[in-house]
Amino acid sequence: VQLQASGGGLVQPGGSLRLSCAVSGSISRESTVGWFRLAPGMEREGVASISFWDRSTVYADSVKGRFTISRDRAENTVYLQMSSLKPEDTALYYCAANSRRVILSSRLTPSAYYNWGQGTQVTVSS
């Protein structure tokens, strides 16, 4: 599985960005894709996840109500729509995949994913 993340940039607080993760390779209908972020001095944090199996989604508490993860099946792309951005959302954002279903309690755990794309930088600053 190969993943290509894009869409990062500089945005003012309160603004919006949409990240894209193009997924290719051995994708199955049981795959799970997650978005993670890494800020300086912090541990990698799970942000959101979507199951290709049942389209269920999981969000970190810190982004609930502001971020939305979705999938375009035809384009094999997973999106992360980010709104009401805050300076603390500044980080390098990664997408990751597991070709199998991941239990809900592990969906935001980095070790549950085996394939990772390169990061895309999101900076929220005035």
Side-chain angles (χ1 to χ4, degrees):
V1 178
Q2 293 79 44
L3 303 108
Q4 180 80 28
S6 62
L10 173 64
V11 63
Q12 292 187 342
S16 299
L17 273 178
R18 187 178 77 162
L19 304 183
S20 300
C21 176
V23 186
S24 61
S26 301
I27 300 299
S28 76
R29 62 178 183 171
E30 296 191 25
S31 294
T32 307
V33 172
W35 281 97
F36 296 81
R37 64 187 181 186
L38 182 62
M42 305 290 286
E43 292 188 356
R44 188 163 39 180
E45 176 190 19
V47 174
S49 172
I50 187 166
S51 167
F52 285 16
W53 177 254
D54 60 8
R55 293 180 291 180
S56 61
T57 57
V58 176
Y59 295 93
D61 288 343
S62 57
V63 306
K64 276 181 184 175
R66 301 189 298 122
F67 290 11
T68 302
I69 188 170
S70 63
R71 176 200 178 196
D72 184 320
R73 186 174 181 177
E75 295 187 359
N76 266 342
T77 301
V78 175
Y79 298 102
L80 184 68
Q81 178 67 48
M82 306 185 294
S83 303
S84 302
L85 283 162
K86 306 174 181 179
E88 51 263 44
D89 294 318
T90 295
L92 193 58
Y93 283 72
Y94 299 87
C95 55
N98 185 325
S99 60
R100 305 294 298 274
R101 284 177 275 178
V102 176
I103 60 173
L104 276 174
S105 59
S106 296
R107 292 268 286 273
L108 298 181
T109 303
S111 60
Y113 295 82
Y114 302 118
N115 304 99
W116 292 79
Q118 90 296 349
T120 184
Q121 179 67 38
V122 173
T123 302
V124 184
S125 174
S126 55

